[in-house]
Amino acid sequence: MGILSRASYVIRSKLNTLISSAEDPSEQLDYSYEQMRDELQDVKQGIADLTTQKKRLEIQKRRLEENVEKHNEQAREAVRQDREDLARRALEKKKSKMSQIEDLETQIADLQQTQDNLVSKKDELQQQIEQFKTEKETMKARYEAAEASTRVSEAMTGAGDEMEDVSRSIERAREQTQDMEARAEAMDELEGSGALENAMDDRSDIEKELDSGRADAEIESELDTLRQQEGVETESESTAETTDAEDDTLEDLDATESSDPDVETELAELQDDESN
């Protein structure tokens, strides 16, 4: 599989499989993008190596061309000196160098064609990587938006694991609070009924009764004071006024009976009967 075909396969496979993957698509997309960039870098390195090799062949070709020119001058010089044997040897070397130059030109042309193809594929691969980058960022944004929406929905509905733990914690706290409130009410009730004595209270039952009576008397006295301040008649004053009124009524009756002549006559007759 060629470099460009492999890169295209990577792009298609990653985009088709990342959505359904159990791992974080954002991380996988970033990883795939870095892999593609590494592949592009390998392609660029291959082009650079190929260009270097072509340059070496071109340098070798120039040296051979210089040798060809040198052997050509040698052949001319040999002819001028009437040394045909040396001229022939120089021309033979010139021909050998020219043959090597033709082979190098063929290799250089092949390398140039390969370099041009690689540069074209490199540009196409780079364009695909840029397209993948755009799709990657778009997909990451969509995934992050969907993830945020899911978290908000879970938080609002309590469907998430964290909210479920929070709900259980609140329920346990509510139950513990209710148990503690019930216990406090029970302790207050027992203490109020006397069933549960205060461990710090060392008074005897008689002392408690006397203290309770004194407290009641103090309360009644304070109530009488408040009634007097507000102009409200107290129960003792009302009773005293009623008693005084009854006494006045009895005295009036006695005075009336003592001043009535008929009553005096009847009393005198009753006294005479008793004496007889």
Side-chain angles (χ1 to χ4, degrees):
M1 181 181 293
I3 296 176
L4 185 60
S5 300
R6 183 174 58 190
S8 300
Y9 173 76
V10 170
I11 294 174
R12 291 193 303 269
S13 62
K14 292 299 181 181
L15 290 177
N16 291 333
T17 59
L18 284 178
I19 297 178
S20 59
S21 176
E23 299 180 3
D24 186 359
S26 299
E27 296 179 359
Q28 289 194 349
L29 285 170
D30 290 337
Y31 177 73
S32 298
Y33 177 71
E34 292 302 324
Q35 280 187 322
M36 295 176 66
R37 286 173 56 87
D38 292 341
E39 291 177 357
L40 178 62
Q41 187 63 33
D42 292 340
V43 172
K44 292 180 177 180
Q45 185 63 43
I47 294 174
D49 295 339
L50 184 63
T51 303
T52 301
Q53 184 64 25
K54 187 188 70 171
K55 291 297 182 183
R56 288 175 181 173
L57 294 179
E58 290 176 348
I59 292 173
Q60 187 176 356
K61 175 188 173 184
R62 284 197 297 271
R63 289 177 179 175
L64 289 173
E65 289 174 345
E66 292 174 357
N67 287 332
V68 167
E69 184 63 25
K70 177 181 178 181
H71 293 319
N72 195 33
E73 288 294 332
Q74 289 174 347
R76 290 194 183 94
E77 180 67 21
V79 170
R80 286 194 295 270
Q81 296 181 10
D82 196 20
R83 294 288 307 269
E84 291 184 359
D85 56 334
L86 293 177
R88 185 175 290 107
R89 288 171 56 187
L91 292 175
E92 289 175 352
K93 290 184 177 180
K94 173 185 174 182
K95 185 178 180 180
S96 175
K97 296 296 191 300
M98 291 183 65
S99 177
Q100 294 179 23
I101 290 173
E102 290 179 357
D103 292 339
L104 287 176
E105 287 177 347
T106 301
Q107 295 180 28
I108 290 172
D110 292 339
L111 289 177
Q112 183 63 49
Q113 185 177 0
T114 303
Q115 178 181 342
D116 293 340
N117 292 334
L118 285 178
V119 170
S120 177
K121 291 180 179 180
K122 184 265 298 181
D123 294 338
E124 185 178 353
L125 176 59
Q126 190 166 4
Q127 183 178 0
Q128 290 182 359
I129 291 176
E130 292 299 324
Q131 181 180 358
F132 179 81
K133 179 181 179 181
T134 302
E135 295 181 1
K136 172 181 73 74
E137 296 300 328
T138 302
M139 187 173 296
K140 285 175 61 177
R142 289 176 56 191
Y143 178 81
E144 292 173 358
E147 185 180 27
S149 178
T150 300
R151 287 198 302 267
V152 172
S153 299
E154 289 179 351
M156 294 180 63
T157 59
D161 294 336
E162 295 181 358
M163 290 303 300
E164 185 176 354
D165 294 338
V166 171
S167 299
R168 285 198 297 266
S169 299
I170 293 176
E171 185 64 25
R172 287 195 299 269
R174 184 181 294 111
E175 292 176 356
Q176 293 175 355
T177 301
Q178 292 175 350
D179 292 341
M180 188 59 66
E181 290 174 349
R183 180 176 178 84
E185 292 178 0
M187 296 296 291
D188 292 339
E189 183 177 347
L190 291 173
E191 185 177 2
S193 63
L196 184 63
E197 295 183 355
N198 190 346
M200 301 298 294
D201 192 353
D202 58 353
R203 296 177 301 168
S204 64
D205 294 340
I206 297 176
E207 290 174 338
K208 291 179 181 179
E209 292 291 339
L210 291 174
D211 291 340
S212 177
R214 283 194 294 270
D216 293 340
E218 291 175 356
I219 292 174
E220 290 298 329
S221 176
E222 188 174 356
L223 285 174
D224 290 340
T225 301
L226 292 174
R227 292 192 187 100
Q228 292 175 2
Q229 292 176 353
E230 298 297 329
V232 179
E233 190 178 70
T234 63
E235 183 179 356
S236 59
E237 291 176 348
S238 177
T239 304
E241 291 179 357
T242 303
T243 303
D244 294 339
E246 291 177 351
D247 293 339
D248 292 339
T249 302
L250 292 174
E251 290 177 358
D252 292 339
L253 289 174
D254 292 339
T256 304
E257 290 177 354
S258 61
S259 62
D260 190 348
D262 295 334
V263 174
E264 293 294 336
T265 302
E266 290 180 359
L267 287 174
E269 292 177 352
L270 288 173
Q271 292 175 357
D272 291 340
D273 291 339
E274 289 178 358
S275 63
N276 292 329

